[in-house]
Amino acid sequence: MLKVSVVSKVFYICGVIDEKFIEILEKAGKVFMRYGIKSVTMDDIARELKISKKTLYKYVSDKQDLVHKVMMGYIQMEEMACSDTFSNAENAIDALIKLSKHISKEILDIHPSIYYDLEKYYPDGWEVLVKHKNEFILSCMTDNIDQGKKEGLYRNSINADIVARIYVHNVDAIFAGTVFSDTKYDYATIFFESMRYHLRGICSEKGIAYLQNRIKEEHLEL
């Protein structure tokens, strides 16, 4: 039985079973996150991975194909992490706090051009991201709101579908750079503020009291 990392397991789920290819996808993803996508050439990838371009082209047909496969693996990994976070949280508020911590850590080192590069130059990779937002994230947030209402932590008057769509739109705007294109704030700081705004807007009095206690317990910035 092969010993593989969590990321490797994700690529196996995506149908990638060649260990060398898994290594290429993992490392290529890190290069894209660090430098952006458009500015990185296949020569750069090969040099960073310490392999020949001939070896690289054994596994992908071109850069579009590489970006698409990297995105598929990355999104699958994020969906697994999100599902695990939500299923193991004590309640709806804890689920969003844990999710916020995870995402803020993940996006600290993301190059600011990633979102723009995907949308403008890599349609297949962009489509993977759009589907993730409009289906998986929307469903998670809708379910979270429904759960919070049942727990008495969120206001009963909230329309879960509308609020979940607003949340997805707001996160979309953050990463698109349409609101914070010339700001001094990093993604992690902006995302934390967005999550605080979201939680305080939907919490009931009981939820606000619980949230305030959680903030004190963990010295959170929410």
Side-chain angles (χ1 to χ4, degrees), residues 6-210:
V6 173
V7 177
S8 298
K9 289 178 182 178
V10 169
F11 284 118
Y12 277 115
I13 291 172
C14 292
V16 180
I17 58 175
D18 186 298
E19 281 193 306
K20 185 63 177 179
F21 191 17
I22 290 170
E23 180 185 1
I24 288 172
L25 292 178
E26 288 188 56
K27 291 183 177 180
K30 291 178 181 178
V31 173
F32 290 144
M33 291 300 178
R34 192 183 317 132
Y35 301 112
I37 302 176
K38 182 65 167 61
S39 62
V40 176
T41 67
M42 293 295 269
D43 284 311
D44 294 330
I45 293 291
R47 185 163 51 253
E48 286 280 341
L49 272 56
K50 295 181 173 56
I51 60 174
S52 67
K53 280 180 65 177
K54 182 178 180 180
T55 299
L56 183 56
Y57 282 115
K58 282 174 57 179
Y59 296 100
V60 293
S61 56
D62 53 25
K63 188 178 173 184
Q64 288 278 354
D65 187 32
L66 175 61
V67 171
H68 181 227
K69 287 183 168 63
V70 167
M71 283 302 299
M72 285 180 65
Y74 176 77
I75 292 301
Q76 185 66 43
M77 181 173 63
E78 286 303 297
E79 291 184 356
M80 288 174 64
C82 183
S83 295
D84 182 65
T85 296
F86 274 52
S87 63
N88 290 300
E90 182 177 334
N91 54 48
I93 291 177
D94 275 351
L96 290 192
I97 289 175
K98 289 182 178 181
L99 180 65
S100 182
K101 287 181 177 180
H102 168 75
I103 294 178
S104 295
K105 183 185 294 184
E106 288 293 307
I107 64 180
L108 273 174
D109 298 322
I110 291 181
H111 193 278
S113 73
I114 289 286
Y115 202 95
Y116 176 82
D117 288 351
L118 278 173
E119 183 177 15
K120 188 170 180 64
Y121 303 108
Y122 303 95
D124 290 342
W126 175 251
E127 185 178 341
V128 172
L129 180 59
V130 169
K131 184 177 181 180
H132 168 69
K133 293 184 301 178
N134 293 341
E135 294 182 13
F136 182 81
I137 295 300
L138 181 62
S139 176
C140 282
M141 296 309 297
T142 302
D143 290 346
N144 179 265
I145 293 171
D146 287 337
Q147 178 189 346
K149 288 166 70 174
K150 290 177 182 177
E151 295 168 341
L153 297 172
Y154 298 162
R155 292 182 289 110
N156 282 324
S157 59
I158 292 173
N159 184 308
D161 181 58
I162 292 176
V163 174
R165 289 176 186 273
I166 291 172
Y167 172 86
V168 172
H169 171 77
N170 287 343
V171 172
D172 202 31
I174 290 172
F175 289 106
T178 55
V179 180
F180 299 100
S181 58
D182 57 349
T183 182
K184 61 183 178 181
Y185 304 112
D186 57 44
Y187 280 144
T189 301
I190 296 169
F191 184 81
F192 257 123
E193 286 295 329
S194 176
M195 184 61 78
R196 175 166 63 178
Y197 179 84
H198 174 76
L199 273 172
R200 291 191 177 276
I202 64 177
C203 279
S204 63
E205 290 186 12
K206 176 182 175 181
I208 289 291
Y210 180 82

